[in-house]
mmCIF file of all heavy atoms in Angstrom:
data_model
loop_
_atom_site.group_PDB
_atom_site.id
_atom_site.type_symbol
_atom_site.label_atom_id
_atom_site.label_comp_id
_atom_site.label_asym_id
_atom_site.label_seq_id
_atom_site.Cartn_x
_atom_site.Cartn_y
_atom_site.Cartn_z
ATOM 1 N N GLY A 20 -96.311 194.200 187.713
ATOM 2 C CA GLY A 20 -96.341 195.601 188.086
ATOM 3 C C GLY A 20 -96.413 196.547 186.895
ATOM 4 O O GLY A 20 -96.187 196.171 185.737
ATOM 5 N N GLU A 21 -96.720 197.803 187.189
ATOM 6 C CA GLU A 21 -96.861 198.819 186.150
ATOM 7 C C GLU A 21 -95.576 199.001 185.351
ATOM 8 O O GLU A 21 -94.470 198.886 185.889
ATOM 9 C CB GLU A 21 -97.284 200.154 186.764
ATOM 10 C CG GLU A 21 -98.681 200.142 187.360
ATOM 11 C CD GLU A 21 -99.164 201.530 187.723
ATOM 12 O OE1 GLU A 21 -98.378 202.494 187.591
ATOM 13 O OE2 GLU A 21 -100.331 201.651 188.139
ATOM 14 N N ASN A 22 -95.765 199.260 184.060
ATOM 15 C CA ASN A 22 -94.659 199.554 183.132
ATOM 16 C C ASN A 22 -93.708 198.374 182.931
ATOM 17 O O ASN A 22 -92.594 198.563 182.429
ATOM 18 C CB ASN A 22 -93.857 200.773 183.601
ATOM 19 C CG ASN A 22 -94.748 201.973 183.857
ATOM 20 O OD1 ASN A 22 -95.556 202.354 183.021
ATOM 21 N ND2 ASN A 22 -94.622 202.553 185.057
ATOM 22 N N ALA A 23 -94.139 197.185 183.305
ATOM 23 C CA ALA A 23 -93.296 196.004 183.106
ATOM 24 C C ALA A 23 -93.347 195.560 181.646
ATOM 25 O O ALA A 23 -94.315 195.827 180.931
ATOM 26 C CB ALA A 23 -93.749 194.866 184.016
ATOM 27 N N ARG A 24 -92.286 194.882 181.221
ATOM 28 C CA ARG A 24 -92.201 194.322 179.876
ATOM 29 C C ARG A 24 -91.839 192.836 180.001
ATOM 30 O O ARG A 24 -90.838 192.496 180.635
ATOM 31 C CB ARG A 24 -91.163 195.062 179.040
ATOM 32 C CG ARG A 24 -91.478 196.545 178.865
ATOM 33 C CD ARG A 24 -90.385 197.286 178.111
ATOM 34 N NE ARG A 24 -90.294 196.853 176.726
ATOM 35 C CZ ARG A 24 -91.037 197.352 175.736
ATOM 36 N NH1 ARG A 24 -91.945 198.285 175.995
ATOM 37 N NH2 ARG A 24 -90.878 196.923 174.490
ATOM 38 N N ILE A 25 -92.672 191.994 179.388
ATOM 39 C CA ILE A 25 -92.463 190.556 179.441
ATOM 40 C C ILE A 25 -92.068 190.085 178.046
ATOM 41 O O ILE A 25 -92.816 190.257 177.075
ATOM 42 C CB ILE A 25 -93.735 189.829 179.921
ATOM 43 C CG1 ILE A 25 -94.092 190.297 181.341
ATOM 44 C CG2 ILE A 25 -93.540 188.319 179.880
ATOM 45 C CD1 ILE A 25 -95.387 189.734 181.861
ATOM 46 N N GLY A 26 -90.877 189.515 177.934
ATOM 47 C CA GLY A 26 -90.351 189.120 176.635
ATOM 48 C C GLY A 26 -91.083 187.948 176.016
ATOM 49 O O GLY A 26 -91.764 187.173 176.700
ATOM 50 N N ALA A 27 -90.928 187.810 174.701
ATOM 51 C CA ALA A 27 -91.540 186.704 173.973
ATOM 52 C C ALA A 27 -91.069 185.362 174.534
ATOM 53 O O ALA A 27 -89.913 185.191 174.906
ATOM 54 C CB ALA A 27 -91.188 186.799 172.492
ATOM 55 N N ASN A 28 -92.015 184.419 174.616
ATOM 56 C CA ASN A 28 -91.754 183.049 175.083
ATOM 57 C C ASN A 28 -91.348 182.963 176.548
ATOM 58 O O ASN A 28 -90.847 181.922 176.990
ATOM 59 C CB ASN A 28 -90.684 182.370 174.212
ATOM 60 C CG ASN A 28 -91.161 182.138 172.794
ATOM 61 O OD1 ASN A 28 -92.171 181.463 172.577
ATOM 62 N ND2 ASN A 28 -90.460 182.703 171.831
ATOM 63 N N SER A 29 -91.544 184.030 177.307
ATOM 64 C CA SER A 29 -91.247 183.962 178.748
ATOM 65 C C SER A 29 -92.257 183.053 179.444
ATOM 66 O O SER A 29 -93.425 182.982 179.061
ATOM 67 C CB SER A 29 -91.310 185.359 179.369
ATOM 68 O OG SER A 29 -90.311 186.195 178.829
ATOM 69 N N PHE A 30 -91.774 182.356 180.471
ATOM 70 C CA PHE A 30 -92.644 181.475 181.250
ATOM 71 C C PHE A 30 -92.593 181.905 182.711
ATOM 72 O O PHE A 30 -91.518 181.918 183.326
ATOM 73 C CB PHE A 30 -92.187 180.017 181.122
ATOM 74 C CG PHE A 30 -93.057 179.050 181.879
ATOM 75 C CD1 PHE A 30 -94.247 178.603 181.338
ATOM 76 C CD2 PHE A 30 -92.686 178.601 183.142
ATOM 77 C CE1 PHE A 30 -95.059 177.710 182.038
ATOM 78 C CE2 PHE A 30 -93.485 177.717 183.846
ATOM 79 C CZ PHE A 30 -94.679 177.269 183.286
ATOM 80 N N ILE A 31 -93.759 182.262 183.253
ATOM 81 C CA ILE A 31 -93.844 182.752 184.632
ATOM 82 C C ILE A 31 -94.932 181.974 185.346
ATOM 83 O O ILE A 31 -96.089 181.963 184.913
ATOM 84 C CB ILE A 31 -94.183 184.257 184.668
ATOM 85 C CG1 ILE A 31 -93.177 185.061 183.849
ATOM 86 C CG2 ILE A 31 -94.224 184.765 186.109
ATOM 87 C CD1 ILE A 31 -93.595 186.506 183.623
ATOM 88 N N ILE A 32 -94.568 181.324 186.450
ATOM 89 C CA ILE A 32 -95.561 180.613 187.248
ATOM 90 C C ILE A 32 -95.323 180.942 188.716
ATOM 91 O O ILE A 32 -94.235 180.716 189.257
ATOM 92 C CB ILE A 32 -95.516 179.087 186.989
ATOM 93 C CG1 ILE A 32 -96.531 178.364 187.876
ATOM 94 C CG2 ILE A 32 -94.113 178.518 187.173
ATOM 95 C CD1 ILE A 32 -96.732 176.899 187.499
ATOM 96 N N MET A 33 -96.335 181.512 189.344
ATOM 97 C CA MET A 33 -96.344 181.824 190.777
ATOM 98 C C MET A 33 -95.152 182.677 191.213
ATOM 99 O O MET A 33 -94.589 182.482 192.291
ATOM 100 C CB MET A 33 -96.425 180.529 191.587
ATOM 101 C CG MET A 33 -97.737 179.787 191.407
ATOM 102 S SD MET A 33 -99.191 180.833 191.757
ATOM 103 C CE MET A 33 -98.992 181.150 193.507
ATOM 104 N N HIS A 34 -94.756 183.610 190.359
ATOM 105 C CA HIS A 34 -93.752 184.613 190.713
ATOM 106 C C HIS A 34 -94.224 185.973 190.205
ATOM 107 O O HIS A 34 -94.770 186.069 189.094
ATOM 108 C CB HIS A 34 -92.385 184.283 190.099
ATOM 109 C CG HIS A 34 -91.643 183.214 190.828
ATOM 110 N ND1 HIS A 34 -91.990 181.880 190.740
ATOM 111 C CD2 HIS A 34 -90.568 183.279 191.678
ATOM 112 C CE1 HIS A 34 -91.162 181.165 191.491
ATOM 113 N NE2 HIS A 34 -90.291 181.987 192.067
ATOM 114 N N ASP A 35 -94.037 187.009 191.004
ATOM 115 C CA ASP A 35 -94.500 188.344 190.646
ATOM 116 C C ASP A 35 -93.439 189.104 189.846
ATOM 117 O O ASP A 35 -92.237 188.985 190.109
ATOM 118 C CB ASP A 35 -94.854 189.146 191.896
ATOM 119 C CG ASP A 35 -96.086 188.584 192.613
ATOM 120 O OD1 ASP A 35 -96.898 187.912 191.943
ATOM 121 O OD2 ASP A 35 -96.215 188.813 193.830
ATOM 122 N N VAL A 36 -93.924 189.897 188.897
ATOM 123 C CA VAL A 36 -93.045 190.729 188.080
ATOM 124 C C VAL A 36 -93.064 192.144 188.650
ATOM 125 O O VAL A 36 -94.121 192.765 188.718
ATOM 126 C CB VAL A 36 -93.510 190.750 186.608
ATOM 127 C CG1 VAL A 36 -92.608 191.642 185.770
ATOM 128 C CG2 VAL A 36 -93.565 189.330 186.042
ATOM 129 N N PRO A 37 -91.920 192.679 189.089
ATOM 130 C CA PRO A 37 -91.916 194.010 189.696
ATOM 131 C C PRO A 37 -92.212 195.107 188.677
ATOM 132 O O PRO A 37 -92.004 194.931 187.466
ATOM 133 C CB PRO A 37 -90.503 194.143 190.259
ATOM 134 C CG PRO A 37 -89.684 193.177 189.486
ATOM 135 C CD PRO A 37 -90.582 192.057 189.088
ATOM 136 N N ALA A 38 -92.681 196.241 189.156
ATOM 137 C CA ALA A 38 -92.933 197.396 188.301
ATOM 138 C C ALA A 38 -91.622 197.882 187.672
ATOM 139 O O ALA A 38 -90.541 197.684 188.232
ATOM 140 C CB ALA A 38 -93.576 198.517 189.110
ATOM 141 N N ASN A 39 -91.746 198.477 186.494
ATOM 142 C CA ASN A 39 -90.601 199.084 185.794
ATOM 143 C C ASN A 39 -89.475 198.091 185.530
ATOM 144 O O ASN A 39 -88.296 198.418 185.654
ATOM 145 C CB ASN A 39 -90.062 200.278 186.598
ATOM 146 C CG ASN A 39 -91.145 201.288 186.922
ATOM 147 O OD1 ASN A 39 -91.841 201.755 186.025
ATOM 148 N ND2 ASN A 39 -91.302 201.591 188.204
ATOM 149 N N SER A 40 -89.862 196.861 185.201
ATOM 150 C CA SER A 40 -88.859 195.826 184.946
ATOM 151 C C SER A 40 -89.076 195.183 183.587
ATOM 152 O O SER A 40 -90.151 195.294 182.986
ATOM 153 C CB SER A 40 -88.912 194.748 186.035
ATOM 154 O OG SER A 40 -90.115 193.995 185.933
ATOM 155 N N THR A 41 -88.039 194.497 183.125
ATOM 156 C CA THR A 41 -88.131 193.655 181.933
ATOM 157 C C THR A 41 -87.740 192.244 182.332
ATOM 158 O O THR A 41 -86.706 192.048 182.980
ATOM 159 C CB THR A 41 -87.189 194.152 180.820
ATOM 160 O OG1 THR A 41 -87.565 195.490 180.445
ATOM 161 C CG2 THR A 41 -87.266 193.257 179.603
ATOM 162 N N VAL A 42 -88.579 191.270 181.969
ATOM 163 C CA VAL A 42 -88.273 189.878 182.300
ATOM 164 C C VAL A 42 -88.271 189.051 181.018
ATOM 165 O O VAL A 42 -89.074 189.276 180.111
ATOM 166 C CB VAL A 42 -89.267 189.291 183.321
ATOM 167 C CG1 VAL A 42 -89.272 190.121 184.590
ATOM 168 C CG2 VAL A 42 -90.672 189.212 182.751
ATOM 169 N N VAL A 43 -87.357 188.091 180.947
ATOM 170 C CA VAL A 43 -87.262 187.214 179.782
ATOM 171 C C VAL A 43 -86.850 185.829 180.243
ATOM 172 O O VAL A 43 -86.276 185.650 181.321
ATOM 173 C CB VAL A 43 -86.230 187.738 178.748
ATOM 174 C CG1 VAL A 43 -86.629 189.103 178.209
ATOM 175 C CG2 VAL A 43 -84.840 187.793 179.346
ATOM 176 N N GLY A 44 -87.120 184.832 179.401
ATOM 177 C CA GLY A 44 -86.591 183.502 179.654
ATOM 178 C C GLY A 44 -87.605 182.501 180.152
ATOM 179 O O GLY A 44 -88.746 182.815 180.455
ATOM 180 N N THR A 45 -87.128 181.237 180.230
ATOM 181 C CA THR A 45 -87.938 180.124 180.717
ATOM 182 C C THR A 45 -87.119 179.310 181.712
ATOM 183 O O THR A 45 -86.223 178.572 181.293
ATOM 184 C CB THR A 45 -88.368 179.216 179.555
ATOM 185 O OG1 THR A 45 -89.069 179.991 178.590
ATOM 186 C CG2 THR A 45 -89.264 178.095 180.032
ATOM 187 N N PRO A 46 -87.354 179.462 183.017
ATOM 188 C CA PRO A 46 -88.292 180.407 183.628
ATOM 189 C C PRO A 46 -87.777 181.848 183.517
ATOM 190 O O PRO A 46 -86.574 182.084 183.394
ATOM 191 C CB PRO A 46 -88.347 179.939 185.090
ATOM 192 C CG PRO A 46 -87.001 179.334 185.326
ATOM 193 C CD PRO A 46 -86.632 178.665 184.028
ATOM 194 N N ALA A 47 -88.690 182.801 183.567
ATOM 195 C CA ALA A 47 -88.318 184.203 183.353
ATOM 196 C C ALA A 47 -87.485 184.748 184.505
ATOM 197 O O ALA A 47 -87.685 184.385 185.669
ATOM 198 C CB ALA A 47 -89.575 185.047 183.175
ATOM 199 N N ARG A 48 -86.528 185.617 184.160
ATOM 200 C CA ARG A 48 -85.702 186.323 185.122
ATOM 201 C C ARG A 48 -85.750 187.817 184.815
ATOM 202 O O ARG A 48 -85.998 188.222 183.675
ATOM 203 C CB ARG A 48 -84.246 185.838 185.066
ATOM 204 C CG ARG A 48 -84.051 184.405 185.504
ATOM 205 C CD ARG A 48 -82.595 183.981 185.376
ATOM 206 N NE ARG A 48 -81.721 184.769 186.242
ATOM 207 C CZ ARG A 48 -81.459 184.464 187.520
ATOM 208 N NH1 ARG A 48 -82.009 183.399 188.070
ATOM 209 N NH2 ARG A 48 -80.632 185.216 188.228
ATOM 210 N N ILE A 49 -85.480 188.620 185.814
ATOM 211 C CA ILE A 49 -85.443 190.065 185.632
ATOM 212 C C ILE A 49 -84.104 190.439 185.005
ATOM 213 O O ILE A 49 -83.044 190.132 185.562
ATOM 214 C CB ILE A 49 -85.616 190.798 186.979
ATOM 215 C CG1 ILE A 49 -86.898 190.345 187.681
ATOM 216 C CG2 ILE A 49 -85.623 192.309 186.776
ATOM 217 C CD1 ILE A 49 -86.992 190.803 189.123
ATOM 218 N N VAL A 50 -84.160 191.109 183.846
ATOM 219 C CA VAL A 50 -82.921 191.526 183.183
ATOM 220 C C VAL A 50 -82.758 193.056 183.188
ATOM 221 O O VAL A 50 -81.684 193.565 182.863
ATOM 222 C CB VAL A 50 -82.854 191.003 181.741
ATOM 223 C CG1 VAL A 50 -82.803 189.482 181.734
ATOM 224 C CG2 VAL A 50 -84.029 191.508 180.909
ATOM 225 N N LYS A 51 -83.819 193.759 183.531
ATOM 226 C CA LYS A 51 -83.727 195.214 183.668
ATOM 227 C C LYS A 51 -84.710 195.663 184.735
ATOM 228 O O LYS A 51 -85.851 195.200 184.770
ATOM 229 C CB LYS A 51 -84.024 195.920 182.347
ATOM 230 C CG LYS A 51 -83.858 197.438 182.397
ATOM 231 C CD LYS A 51 -84.101 198.097 181.056
ATOM 232 C CE LYS A 51 -82.946 197.843 180.109
ATOM 233 N NZ LYS A 51 -83.095 198.642 178.844
ATOM 234 N N LEU A 52 -84.260 196.558 185.615
ATOM 235 C CA LEU A 52 -85.100 197.045 186.699
ATOM 236 C C LEU A 52 -84.819 198.524 186.917
ATOM 237 O O LEU A 52 -83.660 198.907 187.147
ATOM 238 C CB LEU A 52 -84.836 196.258 187.986
ATOM 239 C CG LEU A 52 -85.691 196.595 189.203
ATOM 240 C CD1 LEU A 52 -87.170 196.326 188.932
ATOM 241 C CD2 LEU A 52 -85.233 195.804 190.425
ATOM 242 N N ASP A 53 -85.866 199.347 186.803
ATOM 243 C CA ASP A 53 -85.732 200.803 186.957
ATOM 244 C C ASP A 53 -84.643 201.368 186.044
ATOM 245 O O ASP A 53 -83.854 202.234 186.445
ATOM 246 C CB ASP A 53 -85.439 201.167 188.411
ATOM 247 C CG ASP A 53 -86.595 200.825 189.337
ATOM 248 O OD1 ASP A 53 -87.753 200.958 188.909
ATOM 249 O OD2 ASP A 53 -86.337 200.410 190.485
ATOM 250 N N GLY A 54 -84.593 200.842 184.823
ATOM 251 C CA GLY A 54 -83.668 201.363 183.828
ATOM 252 C C GLY A 54 -82.258 200.822 183.904
ATOM 253 O O GLY A 54 -81.409 201.180 183.084
ATOM 254 N N LYS A 55 -81.960 199.950 184.856
ATOM 255 C CA LYS A 55 -80.613 199.404 185.015
ATOM 256 C C LYS A 55 -80.610 197.907 184.700
ATOM 257 O O LYS A 55 -81.531 197.185 185.086
ATOM 258 C CB LYS A 55 -80.121 199.631 186.442
ATOM 259 C CG LYS A 55 -80.012 201.099 186.833
ATOM 260 C CD LYS A 55 -79.537 201.236 188.263
ATOM 261 C CE LYS A 55 -79.430 202.710 188.667
ATOM 262 N NZ LYS A 55 -78.986 202.866 190.083
ATOM 263 N N ARG A 56 -79.559 197.444 184.036
ATOM 264 C CA ARG A 56 -79.428 196.026 183.715
ATOM 265 C C ARG A 56 -79.104 195.224 184.976
ATOM 266 O O ARG A 56 -78.200 195.579 185.730
ATOM 267 C CB ARG A 56 -78.347 195.808 182.664
ATOM 268 C CG ARG A 56 -78.721 196.376 181.289
ATOM 269 C CD ARG A 56 -77.768 195.936 180.215
ATOM 270 N NE ARG A 56 -78.168 196.420 178.913
ATOM 271 C CZ ARG A 56 -79.078 195.836 178.130
ATOM 272 N NH1 ARG A 56 -79.673 194.719 178.552
ATOM 273 N NH2 ARG A 56 -79.389 196.331 176.950
ATOM 274 N N VAL A 57 -79.828 194.150 185.145
ATOM 275 C CA VAL A 57 -79.633 193.290 186.312
ATOM 276 C C VAL A 57 -79.793 191.831 185.867
ATOM 277 O O VAL A 57 -80.118 191.557 184.713
ATOM 278 C CB VAL A 57 -80.652 193.602 187.433
ATOM 279 C CG1 VAL A 57 -80.484 195.017 187.949
ATOM 280 C CG2 VAL A 57 -82.080 193.383 186.930
ATOM 281 N N ASP A 58 -79.584 190.922 186.781
ATOM 282 C CA ASP A 58 -79.855 189.505 186.557
ATOM 283 C C ASP A 58 -80.370 188.940 187.868
ATOM 284 O O ASP A 58 -79.593 188.485 188.713
ATOM 285 C CB ASP A 58 -78.593 188.768 186.095
ATOM 286 C CG ASP A 58 -78.869 187.299 185.793
ATOM 287 O OD1 ASP A 58 -80.054 186.931 185.690
ATOM 288 O OD2 ASP A 58 -77.897 186.521 185.680
ATOM 289 N N GLN A 59 -81.699 189.007 188.032
ATOM 290 C CA GLN A 59 -82.304 188.652 189.317
ATOM 291 C C GLN A 59 -83.459 187.678 189.112
ATOM 292 O O GLN A 59 -84.118 187.674 188.072
ATOM 293 C CB GLN A 59 -82.847 189.905 190.021
ATOM 294 C CG GLN A 59 -81.811 190.951 190.370
ATOM 295 C CD GLN A 59 -82.441 192.161 191.031
ATOM 296 O OE1 GLN A 59 -83.635 192.160 191.351
ATOM 297 N NE2 GLN A 59 -81.663 193.196 191.243
ATOM 298 N N GLU A 60 -83.685 186.871 190.144
ATOM 299 C CA GLU A 60 -84.878 186.051 190.177
ATOM 300 C C GLU A 60 -86.060 186.894 190.658
ATOM 301 O O GLU A 60 -85.885 187.872 191.379
ATOM 302 C CB GLU A 60 -84.689 184.863 191.115
ATOM 303 C CG GLU A 60 -83.650 183.863 190.654
ATOM 304 C CD GLU A 60 -83.572 182.664 191.579
ATOM 305 O OE1 GLU A 60 -84.221 182.692 192.650
ATOM 306 O OE2 GLU A 60 -82.859 181.707 191.229
ATOM 307 N N MET A 61 -87.247 186.510 190.255
ATOM 308 C CA MET A 61 -88.447 187.185 190.724
ATOM 309 C C MET A 61 -88.887 186.613 192.069
ATOM 310 O O MET A 61 -88.555 185.479 192.410
ATOM 311 C CB MET A 61 -89.568 187.042 189.698
ATOM 312 C CG MET A 61 -89.284 187.754 188.387
ATOM 313 S SD MET A 61 -90.631 187.564 187.197
ATOM 314 C CE MET A 61 -90.509 185.812 186.837
ATOM 315 N N SER A 62 -89.631 187.405 192.811
ATOM 316 C CA SER A 62 -90.117 186.968 194.124
ATOM 317 C C SER A 62 -91.323 186.055 193.964
ATOM 318 O O SER A 62 -92.205 186.315 193.132
ATOM 319 C CB SER A 62 -90.506 188.178 194.976
ATOM 320 O OG SER A 62 -89.402 189.029 195.170
#
């Protein structure tokens, strides 16, 4: 999605990254969404 940030070495397979989010990790997880810190799996 728009304005998303994908961290270095992130691994994403068949999961969508929401807009205005930051994802990191292997497999990647959402660590920030709409400016707030979170810890969520992607859809």
Side-chain angles (χ1 to χ4, degrees):
E21 293 191 355
N22 307 309
R24 299 176 67 86
I25 299 175
N28 294 302
S29 296
F30 181 81
I31 305 169
I32 178 169
M33 294 306 295
H34 282 75
D35 292 336
V36 179
N39 306 307
S40 69
T41 299
V42 302
V43 298
T45 303
R48 294 178 63 87
I49 305 168
V50 296
K51 184 177 286 187
L52 183 62
D53 295 324
K55 298 179 180 179
R56 292 190 177 277
V57 297
D58 183 14
Q59 298 179 7
E60 294 184 352
M61 294 180 292
S62 300

